[in-house]
């Protein structure tokens, strides 16, 4: 297991970057209608553990319940983070934007976002 450390991530063109303080002990794959096309692998983060540079380059995309906020770079189209519907006060950071890690070595969790209501209920039951 990796210790908590600071990771640097970038969109493809580099206009958007971030620093993430995290213990990267998992990545989460979601099969909702958006994530399955974006191909992101997510890790949760609080406001205080994510510092974003290049915010003016971001475009916002929302759909369905309009709860989640999906941000991508307006220049290269890469999708580095979202405010997830599961907890919109937090961030979901796309770990694929962090070049310096071996993603295949990280444990993969799956979130059944295609059946969001049931999956969210199950996750809450697990935590409580
Ligand atoms: Zn970019």
């Amino acid at each position: 297991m990796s210790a908590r450390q600071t990771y640097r991530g970038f969109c493809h063109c580099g206009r958007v970057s971030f620093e993430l303080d995290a213990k990267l002990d998992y990545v989460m794959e979601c099969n909702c209608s958006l994530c399955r096309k974006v191909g992101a692998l997510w890790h949760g983060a609080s406001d205080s553990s994510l510092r974003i540079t290049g915010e003016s380059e971001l475009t916002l995309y929302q759909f369905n319940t309009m709860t989640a906020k999906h941000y991508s770079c307006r220049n290269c189209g890469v999708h580095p983070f979202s405010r997830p519907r599961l907890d919109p006060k937090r961030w979901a950071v796309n770990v694929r934007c962090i070049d310096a890690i071996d993603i295949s070595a990280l444990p993969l969790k799956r979130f059944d976002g295609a059946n969001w209501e049931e999956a969210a209920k199950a996750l809450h039951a697990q935590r409580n």
Side-chain angles (χ1 to χ4, degrees), residues 11-14 73 76:
C11 68
H12 191 258
C13 72
C73 172
C76 68

Side-chain angles (χ1 to χ4, degrees), residues 7-13 16-18 20 24 26-30 34-44 50 76-82 92-110:
Y7 297 92
R8 297 262 290 150
F10 306 86
C11 68
H12 191 258
C13 72
V16 179
S17 63
F18 61 82
L20 171 68
L24 281 184
Y26 72 90
V27 291
M28 184 174 277
E29 186 180 67
C30 173
L34 180 63
C35 286
R36 59 186 290 158
K37 299 197 180 202
V38 169
L41 291 171
W42 305 108
H43 191 89
L50 180 69
C76 68
V78 167
H79 186 147
F81 26 72
S82 292
V93 178
N94 184 358
V95 176
R96 289 200 185 276
C97 291
I98 302 171
D99 295 328
I101 57 170
D102 177 9
I103 289 175
S104 64
L106 298 175
L108 180 72
K109 293 185 188 180
R110 293 179 198 279

Side-chain angles (χ1 to χ4, degrees), residues 43-108:
H43 191 89
S46 63
D47 270 351
S48 59
S49 59
L50 180 69
R51 293 172 295 282
I52 298 167
T53 305
E55 263 172 287
S56 62
E57 300 296 329
L58 293 171
T59 58
L60 170 65
Y61 177 64
Q62 294 185 279
F63 66 100
N64 193 15
T65 66
M66 309 296 275
T67 310
K69 294 181 171 166
H70 305 284
Y71 294 100
S72 51
C73 172
R74 69 172 77 246
N75 187 51
C76 68
V78 167
H79 186 147
F81 26 72
S82 292
R83 292 283 193 186
R85 181 178 167 194
L86 213 48
D87 191 351
K89 292 187 296 298
R90 286 171 57 83
W91 288 103
V93 178
N94 184 358
V95 176
R96 289 200 185 276
C97 291
I98 302 171
D99 295 328
I101 57 170
D102 177 9
I103 289 175
S104 64
L106 298 175
L108 180 72

